Amino acid sequence: QVQLVESGGGLVQPGGSLRLSCAASGIIFSFYAMGWYRQAPGKQRELVAAITRGGSTNYGDSAKGRFTISRDNAKNAVYLQMNSLKPEDTAVYYCNAGVAGTNYWGQGTQVTVSS
């Protein structure tokens, strides 16, 4: 059974930082590209950041320069370091694992940026 479990969300003030984690099980983690997506109320889910099997990274425009995605294949985990958070970063953040057209999603973790 595939499981992606996100953690690390919460309430943070503007300008603050959070580190999201996603623990994967039930897959050969190193085979999968991993990504973080987010969905704000009334908006479509959007790519935040992605990392390939080989470690190449790609960021959505909103994340460039502020967020960093990384993975630890030994721990079957992917991380999202988020700095300089803004109120518009408020959303549910989802972990994704994908390979050859197959995608798995976590249940999401809420990030709220507010003073």
Side-chain angles (χ1 to χ4, degrees):
Q1 180 182 1
V2 177
Q3 281 193 312
L4 300 176
V5 180
E6 300 99 335
S7 61
L11 174 64
V12 63
Q13 291 187 342
S17 298
L18 281 176
R19 187 186 191 223
L20 305 184
S21 300
C22 172
S25 60
I27 59 173
I28 304 175
F29 184 79
S30 61
F31 283 11
Y32 283 74
M34 301 297 298
W36 287 97
Y37 290 74
R38 69 186 185 187
Q39 188 165 19
K43 295 188 176 181
Q44 289 188 328
R45 191 173 295 190
E46 64 174 357
L47 172 71
V48 177
I51 186 166
T52 67
R53 299 189 309 173
S56 297
T57 58
N58 180 44
Y59 294 91
D61 288 342
S62 62
K64 290 177 181 176
R66 299 188 298 129
F67 296 178
T68 303
I69 189 171
S70 60
R71 65 188 296 160
D72 186 337
N73 287 346
K75 295 183 178 180
N76 287 2
V78 62
Y79 308 99
L80 184 68
Q81 177 66 43
M82 304 188 294
N83 299 326
S84 302
L85 283 161
K86 305 174 182 179
E88 50 265 42
D89 295 317
T90 295
V92 178
Y93 284 69
Y94 296 93
C95 178
N96 171 270
V99 66
T102 297
N103 279 282
Y104 299 105
W105 294 91
Q107 83 288 349
T109 185
Q110 176 71 46
V111 171
T112 302
V113 184
S114 175
S115 55

